[in-house]
Amino acid sequence: MRLITALCFFSFFVFSSQNTFAQSNTKQQSTDYSVHTHTFKSAVLNEERTVVVQLPKSYQAEPKKVYPVVYRLDGAGNIPLASAVIERLQNDNRAPEVIIVAIENTNRLRDMYPTVNKEPQGPVGEGGGADKFLAFFEQELIPLVNKNYRTHNYKVISGASAGGVFALYALQAKSELFQAHIAYSPAVWWNYGASVKSTKSFIAKTKELNSYVYINIGEEAGIMRERYDELQQAIQSHKVQGLRFFSDAFDGVSHNLTSVAGAFNAYHNLFLPKQMPISALTDDVASIDAYYQNLSQQWGEQISPPDRAVRSLGYNLTGSKQFTRAIEVFKYNIKNHPKSVDALSALSYGYEIQGDTRQALEKVESALAIADGSYPYVDYLQDTRIRLEAQLNKNL
């Protein structure tokens, strides 16, 4: 509870500071991030709209670098939480730096809900403008951000409650506009569960969908929980190819805190880490290429399979006694890093633990042949060669 209170206080403090400059429509330069405010007349919505853009720390120092964009509904007050979570993931090489675009509200219920509510439980007659709001994103906001900032084509739409409903609507109406959809406690009770029905219909008829969806719920009960559970089960049960779906349920967490409770899982599951997890490796080493191609698409930079990361996969396999698979991975790594002493040493280890002493000796000798005086583990390689030679001679 103390942690949540501290986070909320921190978010309020940063948001208050941002609002001070946002209303003057000027640029704020902090010690870490630069933040810009854009206020412009939307032709699609026929009104003035304001968005706040936070740029990554490296933005000025790396003028050729491009970044994915997180579009966060419900205003700049949501920037600090998303920024803090993503930064911690960055520090562990589990997320790229991102541009965050926060959209300030004018008429929230109108913009977020695709249907007009007719259910007495909620405000009757509200909603129905999500189609125009999505057109605003596609025709005006995204082009504005792309024109003014160095972006690449990986976009996340994130929102809570009504904003969560809009994120799910965007998935159905323009599935390729955003590559990831985050919906914290989406208010799917709205208008007799209209968004549940439309999402179920969309999922049922969709065979392939290259997208990511995260939803969660807190302590909500009644028809909110019933309709959310129906939504969650429908998405979970239909195995749409290419769709990465994650969901959370938080006991004792109020509706208004589900974004705080879920932010880590939402982004931790979304972004692929530079260290490929063993769960992503199939029997075909081509899955390593596929993984890093997807990662490069997310991060906005070409990332080839790193020597150390691939070796880690191989060592993981040797630890579980999958020696043949491990050797395949070690061999694959040498194709990408033929001059790597560590890659050759790893393959030598794979052969040795499999019992192929001759091949193990050949690879450690290859490693020693290219190791120079700066290599810190020359003594280990030399000791390994002596041990393998002795073992080989013993077996003769």
Side-chain angles (χ1 to χ4, degrees):
M1 182 58 71
R2 289 181 182 175
L3 176 59
I4 292 176
T5 302
L7 281 172
C8 293
F9 175 80
F10 174 73
S11 298
F12 174 78
F13 173 78
V14 178
F15 176 51
S16 298
S17 301
Q18 289 177 336
N19 260 354
T20 301
F21 72 79
Q23 293 182 16
S24 64
N25 203 29
T26 59
K27 174 183 173 181
Q28 169 84 359
Q29 181 73 46
S30 71
T31 56
D32 293 328
Y33 299 101
S34 61
V35 183
H36 305 253
T37 300
H38 296 265
T39 299
F40 59 99
K41 178 63 180 293
S42 166
V44 173
L45 300 174
N46 192 31
E47 63 182 9
E48 192 173 82
R49 298 301 300 238
T50 297
V51 297
V52 178
V53 180
Q54 176 178 284
L55 300 179
K57 292 179 180 180
S58 68
Y59 194 85
Q60 299 300 329
E62 300 189 37
K64 294 184 179 181
K65 189 173 181 179
V66 295
Y67 302 87
V69 184
V70 175
Y71 288 88
R72 185 55 166 93
L73 301 165
D74 287 326
N78 293 292
I79 290 179
L81 175 62
S83 181
V85 169
I86 294 172
E87 182 175 335
R88 291 302 295 268
L89 292 170
Q90 291 163 10
N91 292 341
D92 196 38
N93 278 325
R94 298 193 67 92
E97 290 186 287
V98 301
I99 295 171
I100 301 178
V101 179
I103 301 90
E104 301 293 345
N105 292 324
T106 56
N107 188 330
R108 184 173 185 269
L109 298 184
R110 176 201 67 190
D111 290 341
M112 305 292 187
Y113 288 112
T115 62
V116 175
N117 182 51
K118 299 177 182 179
E119 187 171 7
Q121 170 168 310
V124 175
E126 296 285 355
D131 55 342
K132 274 193 174 183
F133 197 43
L134 189 59
F136 161 72
F137 272 87
E138 183 178 25
Q139 298 172 26
E140 295 179 327
L141 179 55
I142 293 173
L144 180 148
V145 173
N146 289 345
K147 178 181 178 181
N148 286 278
Y149 304 103
R150 299 194 307 274
T151 66
H152 78 90
N153 191 32
Y154 195 87
K155 301 180 293 297
V156 181
I157 181 72
S158 173
S161 193
V165 172
F166 181 78
L168 293 174
Y169 170 74
L171 175 71
Q172 303 165 51
K174 292 282 182 179
S175 60
E176 296 182 358
L177 187 60
F178 300 98
Q179 286 65 55
H181 304 76
I182 297 173
Y184 302 115
S185 192
V188 293
W189 62 266
W190 182 268
N191 192 28
Y192 298 99
S195 62
V196 176
K197 297 171 186 175
S198 64
T199 304
K200 287 176 65 177
S201 176
F202 171 76
I203 290 295
K205 66 184 180 183
T206 300
K207 295 182 179 179
E208 186 173 354
L209 187 64
N210 184 22
S211 191
Y212 169 91
V213 174
Y214 172 86
I215 63 174
N216 73 13
I217 194 167
E219 63 183 2
E220 295 97 327
I223 62 170
M224 169 63 180
R225 188 55 177 257
E226 292 173 8
R227 292 170 185 173
Y228 173 90
D229 287 346
E230 184 181 357
L231 171 73
Q232 191 274 337
Q233 291 164 13
I235 301 176
Q236 188 73 51
S237 62
H238 284 83
K239 303 300 182 183
V240 179
Q241 185 178 350
L243 175 62
R244 299 170 58 225
F245 174 66
F246 297 86
S247 64
D248 284 318
F250 298 105
D251 294 335
V253 174
S254 70
H255 179 74
N256 290 333
L257 288 177
T258 51
S259 58
V260 178
F264 174 80
N265 282 349
Y267 290 108
H268 181 263
N269 292 325
L270 165 60
F271 290 119
L272 301 177
K274 283 190 175 180
Q275 172 57 62
M276 178 180 174
I278 191 66
S279 59
L281 180 67
T282 69
D283 289 337
D284 187 349
V285 291
S287 61
I288 301 175
D289 286 324
Y291 179 88
Y292 283 98
Q293 287 171 5
N294 290 333
L295 185 146
S296 298
Q297 179 193 19
Q298 279 193 344
W299 288 49
E301 55 185 298
Q302 186 58 45
I303 301 174
S304 299
D307 181 5
R308 184 174 181 177
V310 177
R311 279 188 283 116
S312 180
L313 292 174
Y315 286 130
N316 190 301
L317 292 170
T318 62
S320 59
K321 301 187 184 305
Q322 300 181 64
F323 304 129
T324 301
R325 289 185 69 200
I327 288 171
E328 289 176 358
V329 169
F330 290 139
K331 285 181 176 178
Y332 163 89
N333 193 39
I334 289 176
K335 288 182 180 179
N336 290 331
H337 305 280
K339 299 299 183 180
S340 169
V341 178
D342 289 327
L344 287 163
S345 176
L347 181 56
S348 172
Y349 173 77
Y351 280 129
E352 181 181 2
I353 202 169
Q354 190 187 40
D356 191 337
T357 306
R358 185 176 298 281
Q359 295 240 51
L361 179 58
E362 288 179 4
K363 297 308 174 186
V364 80
E365 287 177 338
S366 297
L368 279 166
I370 61 175
D372 56 28
S374 65
Y375 185 73
Y377 307 115
V378 171
D379 289 346
Y380 163 78
L381 294 178
Q382 291 173 340
D383 290 344
T384 300
R385 177 173 61 184
I386 293 171
R387 186 184 71 253
L388 292 173
E389 285 176 341
Q391 181 66 36
L392 197 60
N393 290 332
K394 180 181 179 181
N395 292 337
L396 290 178

